[in-house]
Amino acid sequence: MSKACALHILVKTREEADKLKQQLAKGADFGKLAKQHSLCPSGKKGGDLGEFRKGQMVKAFDEVVFKGPLLEVQGPVKTQFGFHLIKTLYRS
């Protein structure tokens, strides 16, 4: 079974996600932005979701984590929770 580890930032709007992605592109710290802006409880840990298996997250999130490039910020990805910026650290 495939496993991965990812960080994410969850916000309410695409505009908010786009602004944060621009800050990240300019070198902002992912963990700091997650602590300041993420609506997910993982924000307190810098957006760290820890290790999880394929299928444990909602489909759109899973697709990015298990098929997208590693160590690059992906998104905004829309789910029923809001808009995510996702950084996959590793997968196996």
Side-chain angles (χ1 to χ4, degrees):
M1 179 63 80
S2 296
K3 286 190 221 171
C5 183
L7 307 175
H8 85 131
I9 299 172
L10 173 65
V11 293
K12 282 193 188 305
T13 67
R14 178 175 293 279
E15 293 76 28
E16 231 181 319
D18 285 336
K19 283 180 191 170
L20 291 172
K21 191 167 183 181
Q22 287 173 3
Q23 290 179 43
L24 290 165
K26 292 176 185 168
D29 182 83
F30 196 101
K32 284 182 184 169
L33 288 183
K35 285 178 183 176
Q36 292 170 350
H37 300 280
S38 188
L39 301 173
C40 180
S42 70
K44 292 182 181 121
K45 298 184 289 181
D48 189 354
L49 293 168
E51 192 173 87
F52 52 90
R53 294 181 187 283
K54 190 170 178 140
Q56 279 187 282
M57 301 295 179
V58 294
K59 188 171 172 49
F61 196 96
D62 243 23
E63 289 283 316
V64 170
V65 171
F66 287 96
K67 293 184 178 168
L70 295 174
L71 303 174
E72 283 182 30
V73 178
Q74 303 294 303
V77 176
K78 187 176 186 334
T79 71
Q80 71 260 40
F81 304 106
F83 292 87
H84 305 262
L85 295 176
I86 304 167
K87 185 175 184 180
T88 306
L89 301 180
Y90 68 82
R91 62 179 164 251
S92 58

